[in-house]
Amino acid sequence: MKIIVSDEIEAVCPDFVGAAVEADVVNSPHCEELWREIDALGERYRAELTTETLKTLSGIEATRRVYRACGKDPSRYRPAAEALIRRILQGKPLYRIDTLVDLVNLASIAYGYSIGGFDADKFVGDTLTLGVGKEGEPYEGIGRGQINIAGLPIYRDAIGGVGTPTSDHERTKMTASTSHVLIIINGYDGDRNRVAENAEYVRTLFRKYAGSDGGEVIFFE
């Protein structure tokens, strides 16, 4: 899969760096060992962060800044990493979906980057382009129905949007039968080393919990 960063994104975030992990995987309904890792990280965050200080984490702060630059209120349309950590800090349980979704959520909260998790076999065409959502552009967020993506950074394939930092699209979501995934890490803070660490962490989680060799990583900016 080729991934292109549009001039729209370059204009508001010239330092953007992204990483994509493509892998063959085996999904499962639940993984108790994975959830022990998630719960341990949650305990640590509750001891170290508040709902205000989490906004200063590099990946979250940068994503919020890009939202504002694109015309979106990041407190109304929270980036996924912020929303997940905020839920933990409020003492609310994270949703338990399946191993692939839960794994991606762990990778996101561990590094503070909003991560898109896609069934790669559901893309149309061989190119994804990162741009900005338009007024009236249809978009069905996973479990959210139609959402207003105007002003949100968005990946599009040949027929439309597939992912934003707030919510991925129903059309390309991972399911119980997913066996080929593309995971996209959005480094709006421009920290290539940290994005690379996050990508390697995803590969490690795939090897531990998803019957995978970890897949391959590509960087784009």
Side-chain angles (χ1 to χ4, degrees):
M1 180 65 66
K2 181 180 180 182
I3 304 178
I4 298 170
V5 179
S6 71
D7 291 342
E8 290 177 299
I9 295 296
E10 290 281 359
V12 296
C13 189
D15 295 329
F16 174 85
V17 58
V21 183
E22 186 170 7
D24 293 325
V25 294
V26 178
N27 203 358
S28 60
H30 178 78
C31 177
E32 192 59 36
E33 186 179 352
L34 170 61
W35 272 95
R36 283 195 288 270
E37 284 201 49
I38 295 171
D39 290 340
L41 183 57
E43 288 182 13
R44 195 187 97 198
Y45 277 175
R46 282 189 288 271
E48 296 177 352
L49 295 173
T50 70
T51 54
E52 287 303 310
T53 60
L54 79 89
K55 297 176 185 177
T56 67
L57 297 178
S58 176
I60 291 173
E61 190 280 330
T63 306
R64 289 175 63 89
R65 185 172 64 247
V66 169
Y67 272 36
R68 292 191 193 95
C70 292
K72 208 67 168 177
D73 180 358
S75 294
R76 184 177 178 189
Y77 294 84
R78 296 188 190 278
E82 178 186 351
L84 289 167
I85 299 173
R86 183 181 177 86
R87 188 173 180 86
I88 289 171
L89 297 178
Q90 291 174 331
K92 300 174 182 177
L94 295 183
Y95 299 109
R96 299 188 178 214
I97 307 301
D98 57 40
T99 296
L100 288 178
V101 174
D102 299 342
L103 178 158
V104 169
N105 285 344
L106 173 57
S108 180
I109 63 178
Y111 283 82
Y113 293 123
S114 292
I115 299 178
F118 307 98
D119 186 321
D121 293 330
K122 296 178 180 177
F123 292 132
V124 177
D126 61 1
T127 302
L128 294 178
T129 301
L130 176 59
V132 179
K134 309 299 182 186
E135 288 291 345
E137 185 173 0
Y139 190 90
E140 185 178 1
I142 296 174
R144 300 168 67 121
Q146 291 295 320
I147 62 174
N148 176 12
I149 61 167
L152 284 179
I154 180 170
Y155 289 93
R156 299 181 180 95
D157 66 5
I159 63 171
V162 298
T164 76
T166 291
S167 175
D168 291 333
H169 197 286
E170 283 279 354
R171 175 168 62 89
T172 49
K173 73 178 181 181
M174 300 181 296
T175 65
S177 60
T178 294
S179 60
H180 178 206
V181 296
L182 187 75
I183 308 301
I184 298 181
I185 300 163
N186 295 287
Y188 288 99
D189 61 355
D191 190 338
R192 185 183 177 93
N193 288 338
R194 188 164 174 79
V195 168
E197 289 175 7
N198 201 171
E200 285 305 313
Y201 184 54
V202 169
R203 298 184 71 218
T204 297
L205 294 175
F206 278 161
R207 286 190 288 264
K208 289 172 69 174
Y209 302 124
S212 174
D213 65 3
E216 301 293 333
V217 181
I218 62 166
F219 293 92
F220 56 98
E221 49 193 288

